[in-house]
């Protein structure tokens, strides 16, 4: 077992005013990707934005973001959102995916959203890997019986804001056990949001799971201070991962390869 995968989730559905370093334009996103790679990220999850800085699945916006990202991230995975808040009508989301011409490696699909299976099918048609976003125990159960369950290249277990360390452990284990019952070998990325972000990340590292961090999930460093940017969040996550590696005798991340 090598160093754990840490994905950088660099902007999320946040508006530009949420943080001064939130990347919005393709140029900003590309520059931020370069910074988080240097900080130790293994891949990136990004939300393409419209001219107002809001999430969009518009083909022109997605194509521009992926094109810019490829200049700085030619050989590591780039993922995007398909969140329903960006385009409410499931049929419109499917149509948008089919019109993308510069394709990401991955796209997350929130399983609780209307039309999730149709969006998944459209992504698979394009050869885009699907990350199944499971926010609750009920989501895991619904995904477990889906005919498209085994098509997911990764499961995202997303723990809610406002739960403490003990609840993180309990809920994560309940969701993970359900996933493992039906898909014992599927890669799992465990993460939280806001106050649960760092406790969940640390627990993911203890379990040897993939995880993620960035301004999408939290604006704060582990000490509670406001993070200056995504790179600072990734460096903090990688420091936790390196310490975990020392604790269990695993190799640390080789930053010279980034």
């Amino acid at each position: 077992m090598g160093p754990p995968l840490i994905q950088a989730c660099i902007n999320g559905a946040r508006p530009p005013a949420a943080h001064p370093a939130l990347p919005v334009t393709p140029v900003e996103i590309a520059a931020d990707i370069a910074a988080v790679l240097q900080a130790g990220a293994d891949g990136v999850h990004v939300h393409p934005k419209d001219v107002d800085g809001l999430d969009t699945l518009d083909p022109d916006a997605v194509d521009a973001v992926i094109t810019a990202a490829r200049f700085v991230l030619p050989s590591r995975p780039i993922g995007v959102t398909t969140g329903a808040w960006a385009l409410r009508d499931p049929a419109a989301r499917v149509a948008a995916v089919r019109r993308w011409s510069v394709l990401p490696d991955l796209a997350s699909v929130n399983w609780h959203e209307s039309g999730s299976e149709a969006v998944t099918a459209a992504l698979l048609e394009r050869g885009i890997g699907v990350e199944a976003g499971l926010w609750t125990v009920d989501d895991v159960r619904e995904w477990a019986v889906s005919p498209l369950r085994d098509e997911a290249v990764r499961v995202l277990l997303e723990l809610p804001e406002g739960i403490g360390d003990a609840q993180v452990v309990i809920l994560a284990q309940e969701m993970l056990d359900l996933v493992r019952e039906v898909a014992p070998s599927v890669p799992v990325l465990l993460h939280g949001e806001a106050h649960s972000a760092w406790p969940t990340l640390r627990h993911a590292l203890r379990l040897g799971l993939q995880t993620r961090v960035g301004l999408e999930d939290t604006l704060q460093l582990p000490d509670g201070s406001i993070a200056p940017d995504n790179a600072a969040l990734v460096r903090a996550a990688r420091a936790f991962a390196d310490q975990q590696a020392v604790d269990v005798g695993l190799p640390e991340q080789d930053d010279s390869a980034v």
Side-chain angles (χ1 to χ4, degrees):
M1 184 185 300
L5 181 145
I6 296 177
Q7 182 188 67
C9 50
I10 62 175
N11 55 5
R14 296 187 191 274
H19 191 284
L22 191 85
V24 174
T25 69
V27 170
E28 292 170 347
I29 287 168
D32 207 71
I33 289 172
V36 297
L37 284 178
Q38 186 62 38
D42 300 296
V44 174
H45 174 75
V46 63
H47 290 213
K49 304 287 186 178
D50 63 18
V51 294
D52 296 316
L54 302 179
D55 282 13
T56 181
L57 304 183
D58 177 77
D60 288 342
V62 174
D63 292 351
V65 164
I66 301 303
T67 298
R70 289 288 182 212
F71 280 110
V72 294
L73 194 69
S75 60
R76 299 197 188 189
I78 303 169
V80 299
T81 185
T82 63
W85 57 84
L87 198 55
R88 291 292 177 186
D89 178 24
R93 294 202 301 281
V94 168
V97 167
R98 287 175 173 161
R99 291 172 55 216
W100 294 349
S101 60
V102 185
L103 302 182
D105 302 289
L106 304 165
S108 61
V109 179
N110 299 318
W111 220 256
H112 66 277
E113 292 176 348
S114 176
S116 60
E117 289 191 347
V119 173
T120 294
L123 292 166
L124 295 172
E125 288 170 7
R126 305 301 313 278
I128 300 169
V130 174
E131 300 173 300
L134 310 177
W135 294 18
T136 67
V137 170
D138 286 343
D139 289 352
V140 180
R141 292 189 176 115
E142 290 183 14
W143 168 80
V145 298
S146 169
L148 296 176
R149 180 195 70 207
D150 293 334
E151 301 295 339
V153 300
R154 177 188 292 150
V155 166
L156 309 179
L157 298 184
E158 310 190 15
L159 303 193
E161 178 182 2
I163 62 175
D165 291 20
Q167 292 170 298
V168 162
V169 172
I170 293 168
L171 181 56
Q173 196 60 52
E174 183 177 6
M175 296 173 76
L176 185 61
D177 286 347
L178 289 171
V179 169
R180 292 303 187 215
E181 283 180 12
V182 296
S185 61
V186 68
V188 174
L189 187 154
L190 175 66
H191 74 99
E193 59 177 314
H195 291 98
S196 73
W198 289 110
T200 304
L201 182 142
R202 291 193 292 267
H203 188 56
L205 295 174
R206 287 192 294 269
L207 295 177
L209 300 176
Q210 300 175 8
T211 191
R212 78 180 201 183
V213 73
L215 293 174
E216 173 171 356
D217 286 350
T218 181
L219 303 180
Q220 295 180 316
L221 292 167
D223 64 4
S225 63
I226 298 299
D229 51 31
N230 278 302
L233 291 167
V234 172
R235 280 193 294 271
R238 186 55 69 185
F240 281 129
D242 288 347
Q243 184 57 55
Q244 180 68 20
V246 170
D247 291 344
V248 300
L250 295 177
E252 296 183 14
Q253 171 83 7
D254 181 6
D255 291 333
S256 66
V258 175

